[in-house]
Amino acid sequence: MKERLSTTVQQLKPSGIRRFFDLAASMDNVISLGVGEPDFVTSWAVREASILSLERGYTSYTANAGLLELRFEIMKYMKRNFNVSYDYKDDIIVTVGGSQALDITMRALINPEDEIIVVEPNFVSYSPLISLAGGVPVAIETTEETEFKLQPRQIEEVITSNTKALLLCSPNNPTGSSLSKEELQAIADIVIKHDLLVITDEIYAELTYDEEFTSIASLEGMKERTIIISGFSKGFAMTGWRLGYICAPTEIAKAMLKIHQYTMMCAPTMAQYGAIEALQNGQHDVEEMRKSYRRRRNFMVKSLNQIGLECHSPGGAFYVFPSIKKTGLSSEEFAEQLLLEERVAVVPGNVFGKGGEGHIRCSYASSMESLEESIKRISRFVENKL
Ligand SMILES: Cc1ncc(COP(=O)(O)O)c(C=O)c1O
């Protein structure tokens, strides 16, 4: 029989996060710090707007790029919050989550053998999506010494004639690291010098705790070479709604729209009506959630350091990424034994690529009560291992 499957797909590894979820799901009394999603329910006003759209019978497809009214709100939001101006008719596409936005970005940009620089540890989808689009992910490793922040000189070290783009994620999943305006400027200078594109995943932009969030697209000379990926999943607690968006230079957005048209037609209609409400009136809810995450971040960073698991204070997202090196265990061993012995689920850092080994990702999008209990259990576990 002929080979049925694509070699690219055969070579893809299944997500390392799933294995731990499956194991944790088969056990009782587990506290999960494993999931990467808000513990809040989407605000009632957003749910109500979506219900209302159904009551009114808005159940058909929208424009391929998304409801014009939603794109208009996204345009205003980008201008208001991040000081970057887009044409809502031509530069913005509403997608099925940040996930689809990432997928069509890669497929619209990549020719065979094009290299995309990725900064590891990173979100598990990046390299597989680049490979699926026929490109080559080129990893830069960041480490705890620089609080997992990309150093601009590292970009120059990996640039070749095939380098097309740099993929950034700030605030970062899994490290929570956030780049300041000055740090982004230093990266932008190199990107411009080498005529690269930047794909910036800003899905955690609203969840920034210490400094104001800066989009690299807002820096001088960057908008025309930047593709912003964002969405409603994290900041607006809307993971299940499957709604994201892309803001890109017109020519690139047009190319992406072709792929979106053929594969998705459009994002879910009722979710788009909910998102309009989120952008128009949801800022207060976002602020409340942000404050709550910030309190929990402070608790986790302090507690983990007290236990002796060195942990920098991440500027955003809802993850901490402490070092577990002093236990002598690999991150896989640590995560597995912690789950079996103390019933706490975390994600081993190695699944996020280079620089992740020797760390675990703990999501603090969990109740304070669960966080306190998880810290007690982790503390007991670590004491036994030392
Ligand atoms: C960095 C990053 N980008 C994108 C996504 C995808 O989000 P969505 O639910 O909008 O597809 C996630 C989800 O965990 C993420 O952490």
Side-chain angles (χ1 to χ4, degrees):
M1 193 189 286
K2 274 191 201 157
E3 181 54 62
R4 293 186 180 192
L5 296 173
S6 121
T7 19
T8 315
V9 173
Q10 280 178 305
Q11 281 162 4
L12 283 184
K13 281 194 277 174
S15 162
I17 298 184
R18 269 266 77 87
R19 195 168 82 80
F20 279 86
F21 279 163
D22 292 346
L23 188 57
S26 67
M27 296 163 74
D28 293 331
N29 187 25
V30 171
I31 298 180
S32 179
L33 307 183
V35 286
E37 67 176 324
D39 61 327
F40 294 99
V41 173
T42 311
S43 82
W44 172 242
V46 172
R47 285 182 277 155
E48 200 173 31
S50 176
I51 293 167
L52 195 63
S53 78
L54 293 174
E55 281 177 354
R56 289 181 174 156
Y58 299 159
T59 53
S60 39
Y61 296 131
T62 66
N64 289 136
L67 285 166
L68 210 53
E69 200 183 345
L70 174 55
R71 282 183 278 154
F72 185 71
E73 289 303 328
I74 294 170
M75 175 200 78
K76 285 203 300 189
Y77 182 75
M78 297 309 280
K79 179 72 194 147
R80 186 172 72 230
N81 290 18
F82 309 136
N83 196 29
V84 42
S85 305
Y86 287 98
D87 177 331
Y88 68 103
K89 291 197 176 127
D90 289 331
D91 302 346
I92 298 175
I93 304 174
V94 178
T95 59
V96 181
S99 303
Q100 193 223 348
L102 282 164
D103 184 28
I104 63 178
T105 300
M106 300 311 166
R107 289 200 275 156
L109 298 182
I110 291 175
N111 286 313
E113 307 309 319
D114 276 350
E115 293 173 5
I116 309 289
I117 303 174
V118 294
V119 185
E120 292 185 346
N122 66 18
F123 178 46
V124 290
S125 298
Y126 292 163
S127 296
L129 288 178
I130 294 167
S131 303
L132 282 170
V136 182
V138 175
I140 290 178
E141 174 178 350
T142 60
T143 60
E144 58 203 329
E145 282 75 43
T146 58
E147 297 192 346
F148 297 100
K149 290 182 181 189
L150 167 68
Q151 304 302 297
R153 63 167 172 75
Q154 293 181 290
I155 306 172
E156 296 206 292
E157 283 164 12
V158 296
I159 288 179
T160 70
S161 54
N162 288 339
T163 308
K164 181 158 246 173
L166 166 69
L167 172 49
L168 286 180
C169 179
S170 169
N172 179 277
N173 175 7
T175 65
S177 227
S178 297
L179 297 165
S180 68
K181 187 170 184 182
E182 292 68 35
E183 287 159 343
L184 286 169
Q185 185 61 61
I187 293 169
D189 291 344
I190 291 178
V191 163
I192 291 172
K193 182 172 148 202
H194 293 277
D195 192 23
L196 303 180
L197 291 165
V198 169
I199 304 159
T200 170
D201 183 341
E202 302 185 350
I203 200 142
Y204 293 100
E206 288 89 2
L207 305 181
T208 301
Y209 308 119
D210 302 325
E211 291 184 47
E212 207 172 300
F213 176 82
T214 302
S215 172
I216 196 166
S218 69
L219 304 180
E220 174 106 27
M222 283 306 292
K223 194 193 132 187
E224 55 266 37
R225 54 177 73 248
T226 302
I227 295 133
I228 298 181
I229 308 288
S230 198
F232 297 87
S233 292
K234 314 291 172 167
F236 293 93
M238 292 173 66
T239 45
W241 297 64
R242 310 311 305 127
L243 211 60
Y245 55 91
I246 295 167
C247 301
T250 312
E251 171 210 16
I252 298 180
K254 282 197 169 138
M256 289 173 177
L257 188 58
K258 285 198 256 178
I259 310 173
H260 179 70
Q261 274 170 343
Y262 289 129
T263 54
M264 287 295 163
M265 304 272 251
C266 67
T269 303
M270 56 285 224
Q272 294 190 53
Y273 280 104
I276 293 172
E277 167 63 28
L279 291 177
Q280 283 177 340
N281 302 310
Q283 217 44 49
H284 175 72
D285 295 309
V286 171
E287 191 50 28
E288 288 304 303
M289 291 190 271
R290 202 178 67 82
K291 279 190 201 147
S292 167
Y293 289 131
R294 189 169 191 273
R295 275 195 298 277
R296 293 184 256 171
R297 174 201 65 168
N298 292 348
F299 168 76
M300 288 302 278
V301 170
K302 190 164 147 233
S303 308
L304 288 164
N305 279 311
Q306 275 168 356
I307 293 172
L309 299 183
E310 251 172 71
C311 180
H312 78 279
S313 179
F318 36 60
Y319 311 105
V320 280
F321 203 62
S323 166
I324 48 100
K325 287 177 187 158
K326 66 156 42 161
T327 62
L329 299 172
S330 71
S331 53
E332 290 257 356
E333 287 164 347
F334 187 100
E336 190 156 344
Q337 291 176 27
L338 179 66
L339 181 59
L340 295 174
E341 293 172 28
E342 291 289 350
R343 301 281 200 264
V344 178
V346 297
V347 184
N350 66 321
V351 308
F352 303 103
K354 281 195 221 163
E357 182 49 58
H359 295 263
I360 51 168
R361 188 191 77 174
C362 308
S363 161
Y364 50 85
S366 217
S367 71
M368 230 13 232
E369 208 184 357
S370 299
L371 295 180
E372 279 164 0
E373 177 58 25
S374 72
I375 287 292
K376 274 191 210 147
R377 297 184 189 188
I378 296 173
S379 172
R380 195 161 54 210
F381 176 79
V382 170
E383 258 169 43
N384 286 338
K385 300 291 162 189
L386 292 179

